[in-house]
Amino acid sequence: MAVYNISSSSTASAERGKKIENETRYVIEDLDCSHYMKIFDAQKVPLRVKSAKNLLHSIERHFGTLAFCRRWLDDLGEQRHLMALKNLVDSDLIQPYPPLVDVKGCYTTQMEHTVLIKPTGREVVSRGEDY
């Protein structure tokens, strides 16, 4: 994890609609996308659509580069934001994160750990007896 960047180079991502291999299983993106994240190092792009500019400003103000879902935009009072959000995705400013499935109609989970970095070393603090 880099400073101010929740997802750093240690993450694996897939191009939209392509299969990715995770150990011995394949997962694919499926269904409508509801989760998004601002691309940390996105290039400045001149946005011509006013609603997209306003939505990007709201996303930067409330979420920064943290992931968010469309429902949270509704909760902030952002109405009719689907076309503006699509414009931001098409402009490579926002990354969509659609649900992953390995069997049609079933969801796949992604497990991550929280790591505490101390002067004496690192400690995985999210590891429990079940994982």
Side-chain angles (χ1 to χ4, degrees):
M1 185 165 92
V3 177
Y4 304 117
N5 185 0
I6 195 77
S7 289
S8 194
S9 61
S10 63
T11 61
S13 61
E15 291 184 34
R16 192 164 183 73
K18 298 221 175 156
K19 291 183 179 182
I20 59 173
E21 185 174 340
N22 182 4
E23 297 179 21
T24 59
R25 305 284 313 248
Y26 287 93
V27 294
I28 57 171
E29 297 174 354
D30 192 31
L31 307 173
D32 290 331
C33 183
S34 62
H35 289 75
Y36 299 85
M37 186 173 5
K38 184 177 182 296
I39 298 173
F40 179 75
D41 55 355
Q43 301 294 319
K44 289 269 187 185
V45 175
L47 295 172
R48 296 189 175 120
V49 180
K50 184 177 180 182
S51 61
K53 287 180 191 178
N54 293 339
L55 182 60
L56 181 61
H57 180 68
S58 181
I59 290 168
E60 288 172 337
R61 183 178 51 227
H62 294 285
F63 308 113
T65 57
L66 295 175
F68 61 92
C69 65
R70 290 192 331 233
R71 185 189 66 216
W72 295 350
L73 295 175
D74 292 333
D75 293 346
L76 291 173
E78 296 291 339
Q79 299 175 350
R80 300 172 49 121
H81 59 268
L82 286 178
M83 291 305 292
L85 191 57
K86 181 179 180 338
N87 185 276
L88 295 174
V89 169
D90 291 345
S91 298
D92 291 326
L93 295 170
I94 300 291
Q95 176 72 42
Y97 289 92
L100 300 176
V101 299
D102 60 353
V103 175
K104 193 76 170 162
C106 295
Y107 290 105
T108 301
T109 63
Q110 176 182 343
M111 305 300 282
E112 297 180 2
H113 284 297
T114 301
V115 180
L116 176 62
I117 301 173
K118 303 185 286 188
T120 58
R122 65 182 190 270
E123 177 184 350
V124 179
V125 295
S126 60
R127 185 175 293 147
E129 294 176 14
D130 61 340
Y131 184 74

